[in-house]
């Protein structure tokens, strides 16, 4: 099987001169060469047929070599796997060197004029593993695998997943960090993206005051991933920063649209291409609550709660600006771009929320209408996905509105008195506003159903897939994977998944509570 291997990152950028796999501080380098750990008894659980096609792996996937390569048994001929060196701000504080502690880049390939980096997650130790084992467990791997592909089909910029395998080895984890470690099944996800470069790759070099390597990495990133920006110059670097801001904004506005909460928006988890990356303790908003985060490790401060995600992106962009400052030496110009983000993100949020409401024309009071909606949505637990999906059925008769969206309410008994009155006021304002729209009702609802998904990967759904998979039954993984390829379609056969989170999942580990343990 001949793959079109075109390695760039490990050819053009400086490498760590040490080859052994000891944990260490790496300087003046962008990566270290490593070898994946051989799993003892690997087996394939699932593959993404879209990614097989995208990569041109149709024939390759039929050979035993496919599992060997994407579980770490064999290294592709003429390739040199490596772990990237990066740092990051974790929960607001500089954390120093982090790096690919359990991700190993296999190679970059080209297919149909596109370049893809292939990476294994959970394939063993690297110099960046710090005090951990470089491995990943089945539950978190299923979550990453399913969600990467679900996000892609929702139209959210994301890294992709090619395959999910069991390693055949056991991995010790203390799920809730409460002194109850247990052995779990080890797994490996093969991830794919045009590049896995993060904000943190730049930050670590800036922290080391290594302007030379910083410039090399910057020029590399622009040459291969932002070639339209032109030759290296201060102007090009500023345009690069502007575009990273725009792409990151686009990503986070999509998150707000579909109700995705990343959970760990540290700068090492921010892709330089504006892709959603590193699916850890993420979650999907069920009841509309701007303060919600699925990550129990962040429950005290809720830094990465749903409502603040666009502002956290700005904070992260500021860290990137600081990191690349030595190449630009004009803080004012970088600040101007950050100020633009601050204004543009408000506009982008408004436009996105308007599209969810089926509003296309410009009206003065739209911002107020949306703020009012957010206020009423929080009065009683209301399912975000179901509410917006059902809203497309609202034909403009305020009297029938609550009936149309009733399935979104977790406690229908609460929708009376003051709360009911507030809903009625909001719906009558909305009805008046809809009358001003030039689009027909049919056009409007069709459009709304193309931005308000019917199916998302709720935590409890992923958990059901995990529970079954722990017993060797992969049918739910396949069912969810297939359904989530068409999240905007009605798909009557999957109607049972268009439902509020069941009560049993309210306080269950994995459903409402997730830690960083993975
Ligand atoms: P995360 O918050 O999962 O993005 O990870 C933060 C850092 O910890 C990254 O440098 C990861 O590579 C590293 N890390 C997380 N889990 C492990 C593990 N099991 N073994 C080695 N490194 C890990
Ligand atoms: Mg990470």
């Amino acid at each position: 099987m001949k793959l079109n291997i075109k390695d760039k990152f490990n050819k053009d950028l400086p490498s760590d001169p040490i080859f052994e796999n000891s944990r260490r501080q790496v300087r003046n380098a962008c990566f270290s060469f490593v070898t994946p750990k051989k799993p003892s008894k690997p087996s394939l659980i699932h593959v993404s047929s879209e990614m097989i096609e995208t990569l041109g792996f149709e024939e390759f996937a039929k050979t035993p070599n496919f599992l060997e390569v994407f579980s770490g048994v064999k290294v592709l001929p003429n390739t040199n796997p490596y772990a990237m060196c990066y740092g990051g701000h974790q929960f607001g504080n500089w954390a120093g060197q982090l790096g690919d502690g359990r991700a190993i880049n296999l190679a970059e390939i080209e297919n149909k004029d596109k370049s893809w980096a292939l990476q294994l997650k959970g394939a063993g130790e690297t110099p960046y593993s710090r005090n951990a084992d470089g491995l990943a467990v089945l539950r978190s791997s299923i979550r990453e695998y399913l969600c990467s592909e679900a996000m892609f089909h929702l139209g959210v910029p994301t890294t992709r997943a090619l395959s999910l395998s069991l390693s055949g080895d056991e991995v010790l984890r203390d799920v809730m960090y409460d002194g109850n470690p247990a052995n779990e099944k080890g797994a490996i996800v093969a991830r794919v993206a045009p590049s896995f470069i993060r904000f943190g790759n730049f930050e670590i070099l800036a922290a080391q005051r290594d302007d030379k390597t910083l410039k090399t990495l910057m020029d590399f990133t622009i040459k291969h991933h932002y070639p339209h920006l032109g030759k290296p110059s201060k102007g090009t670097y500023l345009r690069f920063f502007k575009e990273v801001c725009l792409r990151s904004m686009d990503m986070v506005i999509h998150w707000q649209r579909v109700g995705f909460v990343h959970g760990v928006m540290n700068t090492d988890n921010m892709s330089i291409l504006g892709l959603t990356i590193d699916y850890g303790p993420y979650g999907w908003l069920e009841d509309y609550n701007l303060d919600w985060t699925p990550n129990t490790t962040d429950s005290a401060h809720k830094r990465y709660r749903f409502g603040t995600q666009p502002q956290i992106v700005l904070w992260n962009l500021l860290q990137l600006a600081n990191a690349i400052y030595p190449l630009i030496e004009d803080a004012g110009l970088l600040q101007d771009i950050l100020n633009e983000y601050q204004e543009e993100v408000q506009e982008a949020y408004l436009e996105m929320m308007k599209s969810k409401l089926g509003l296309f024309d410009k009206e003065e009071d739209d911002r107020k209408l949306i703020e009012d909606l957010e206020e009423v949505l929080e009065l009683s637990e209301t399912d975000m996905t179901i509410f917006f999906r059902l809203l497309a059925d609202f034909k403009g008769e305020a009297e029938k509105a609550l009936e149309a969206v009733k399935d979104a309410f977790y406690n229908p008994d609460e929708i009376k008195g003051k709360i009911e009155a507030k809903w009625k006021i909001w719906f009558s304002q909305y009805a008046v506003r809809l009358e001003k729209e030039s689009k027909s009702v049919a056009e409007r609802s069709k459009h709304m159903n193309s931005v308000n998904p019917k199916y998302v990967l709720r935590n409890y759904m992923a958990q059901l897939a995990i529970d079954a998979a722990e017993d060797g039954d992969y049918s739910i993984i396949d069912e969810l994977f297939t359904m989530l390829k068409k999240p905007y379609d009605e798909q009557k056969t999957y109607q049972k998944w268009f439902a509020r989170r069941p009560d049993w999942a309210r306080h269950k580990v994995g459903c409402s509570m997730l830690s960083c343990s993975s």
Side-chain angles (χ1 to χ4, degrees):
M1 173 68 214
K2 195 144 171 46
L3 303 182
N4 189 14
I5 292 167
K6 290 271 164 64
D7 278 338
K8 300 182 282 278
F9 194 92
N10 62 352
K11 288 225 160 106
D12 297 2
L13 293 170
S15 66
D16 169 11
I18 305 173
F19 281 78
E20 75 195 42
N21 213 349
S22 58
R23 288 141 207 245
R24 58 183 176 269
Q25 291 293 310
V26 173
R27 291 191 65 88
N28 311 117
C30 292
F31 65 93
S32 306
F33 287 109
V34 290
T35 310
K37 178 181 171 175
K38 281 193 178 32
S40 61
K41 201 166 173 283
S43 58
L44 207 50
I45 292 182
H46 209 272
V47 291
S48 162
S49 46
E50 284 79 23
M51 275 324 283
I52 295 275
E53 209 188 302
T54 304
L55 297 169
F57 283 179
E58 289 91 341
E59 292 309 311
F60 184 21
K62 289 179 195 149
T63 69
N65 204 223
F66 182 84
L67 171 62
E68 288 171 341
V69 168
F70 292 110
S71 66
V73 175
K74 270 194 191 156
V75 170
L76 284 164
N78 306 316
T79 63
N80 298 293
Y82 57 97
M84 286 186 184
C85 179
Y86 56 78
H89 280 83
Q90 296 187 313
F91 298 95
N93 302 303
W94 174 242
Q97 177 183 298
L98 299 166
D100 286 330
R102 58 163 164 185
I104 296 183
N105 301 277
L106 297 182
E108 289 171 273
I109 63 146
E110 267 178 28
N111 189 48
K112 297 179 199 146
D113 289 332
K114 284 211 169 118
S115 173
W116 299 100
L118 309 174
Q119 188 183 77
L120 302 183
K121 184 166 176 178
E125 288 171 46
T126 76
Y128 308 98
S129 297
R130 296 178 294 154
N131 55 0
D133 55 13
L135 303 174
V137 292
L138 180 58
R139 61 184 154 79
S140 63
S141 304
I142 292 175
R143 285 169 50 83
E144 169 134 22
Y145 178 78
L146 285 177
C147 202
S148 312
E149 293 301 279
M151 290 283 268
F152 171 76
H153 294 293
L154 281 163
V156 185
T158 179
T159 61
R160 303 289 303 270
L162 170 65
S163 64
L164 168 67
S165 314
L166 280 175
S167 63
D169 297 309
E170 298 216 305
V171 175
L172 193 67
R173 287 289 182 272
D174 187 357
V175 182
M176 294 317 290
Y177 300 126
D178 57 2
N180 289 304
N183 272 327
E184 299 188 42
K185 290 180 185 176
I188 298 147
V189 175
R191 306 198 290 191
V192 183
S195 168
F196 287 97
I197 299 175
R198 302 143 191 266
F199 289 10
N201 294 68
F202 294 85
E203 287 180 279
I204 189 72
L205 298 170
Q208 295 171 350
R209 307 242 182 279
D210 180 358
D211 292 358
K212 182 168 170 261
T213 314
L214 180 66
K215 181 171 179 349
T216 309
L217 176 67
M218 175 70 118
D219 293 346
F220 173 91
T221 306
I222 293 172
K223 178 177 168 197
H224 295 293
H225 303 291
Y226 290 84
H228 53 283
L229 297 178
K231 297 252 174 299
S233 73
K234 288 192 183 184
T236 302
Y237 299 157
L238 281 166
R239 286 198 297 280
F240 164 77
F241 183 60
K242 174 73 189 177
E243 196 170 330
V244 176
C245 288
L246 288 174
R247 288 196 194 190
S248 307
M249 182 191 316
D250 182 55
M251 170 191 79
V252 76
I253 293 298
H254 276 295
W255 291 359
Q256 305 308 101
R257 172 174 66 82
V258 298
F260 175 81
V261 188
H262 184 284
V264 202
M265 294 172 70
N266 295 332
T267 55
D268 51 302
N269 290 338
M270 291 288 293
S271 146
I272 203 69
L273 301 181
L275 306 172
T276 312
I277 191 171
D278 281 9
Y279 291 88
Y282 67 82
W284 294 83
L285 216 58
E286 285 171 320
D287 63 295
Y288 194 85
N289 174 359
L290 293 166
D291 282 337
W292 185 71
T293 173
N295 184 359
T296 48
T297 319
D298 189 26
S299 60
H301 299 103
K302 295 198 162 88
R303 178 178 172 85
Y304 298 139
R305 60 189 184 269
F306 178 61
T308 52
Q309 294 189 122
Q311 283 309 302
I312 290 293
V313 166
L314 175 65
W315 192 90
N316 290 342
L317 287 164
L318 170 62
Q319 307 317 312
L320 178 64
N322 282 334
I324 63 173
Y325 168 80
L327 306 179
I328 296 167
E329 292 177 310
D330 190 330
L333 292 175
L334 286 164
Q335 187 59 53
D336 288 346
I337 297 173
L338 291 168
N339 294 346
E340 284 164 22
Y341 174 95
Q342 216 151 1
E343 277 175 26
E344 288 164 4
V345 80
Q346 311 244 8
E347 242 3 81
Y349 183 77
L350 176 67
E351 284 310 311
M352 178 279 288
M353 287 302 281
K354 279 180 65 177
S355 75
K356 287 181 81 65
L357 293 177
L359 304 176
F360 303 92
D361 301 339
K362 242 190 161 46
E363 282 292 329
E364 277 294 300
D365 296 337
D366 284 346
R367 200 179 291 274
K368 175 84 172 65
L369 185 73
I370 286 159
E371 281 165 10
D372 288 350
L373 171 62
E374 289 181 327
E375 223 177 285
V376 220
L377 276 171
E378 293 205 284
L379 293 179
S380 173
E381 272 184 49
T382 308
D383 193 276
M384 175 180 180
T385 303
I386 298 179
F387 176 81
F388 282 102
R389 186 71 184 188
L390 294 178
L391 207 55
D393 299 336
F394 175 60
K395 304 278 185 301
E397 296 163 273
E399 288 309 308
K400 294 187 182 158
L402 281 175
E403 184 57 25
V405 299
K406 70 173 189 318
D407 285 346
F409 297 123
Y410 280 87
N411 305 300
D413 292 349
E414 282 180 17
I415 313 300
K416 55 184 172 212
K418 269 191 187 156
I419 297 182
E420 186 182 20
K422 289 214 163 158
W423 267 119
K424 286 192 166 160
I425 293 172
W426 186 81
F427 269 112
S428 53
Q429 286 167 344
Y430 181 45
V432 171
R433 174 64 184 83
L434 285 177
E435 294 218 333
K436 297 183 188 157
E437 279 291 324
S438 42
K439 279 202 191 331
S440 70
V441 175
E443 271 179 305
R444 176 173 76 233
S445 62
K446 187 166 171 239
H447 175 83
M448 287 169 79
N449 284 343
S450 73
V451 293
N452 296 322
K454 174 149 180 174
Y455 303 104
V456 294
L457 182 63
R458 293 166 187 266
N459 281 339
Y460 87 87
M461 291 160 59
Q463 192 58 41
L464 288 174
I466 291 165
D467 290 343
E470 295 287 356
D471 294 333
D473 171 4
Y474 307 130
S475 59
I476 306 182
I477 295 181
D478 190 56
E479 178 173 348
L480 296 179
F481 188 92
T482 307
M483 174 180 82
L484 294 168
K485 282 187 200 179
K486 294 189 170 138
Y488 300 102
D489 289 7
E490 283 299 316
Q491 301 195 75
K492 287 276 180 275
T493 39
Y494 296 120
Q495 189 67 23
K496 70 167 183 197
W497 297 113
F498 182 65
R500 294 185 300 269
R501 170 200 58 222
D503 246 5
W504 60 260
R506 183 173 286 266
H507 300 295
K508 191 174 181 309
V509 173
C511 298
S512 59
M513 291 182 280
L514 286 141
S515 73
C516 286
S517 157
S518 55

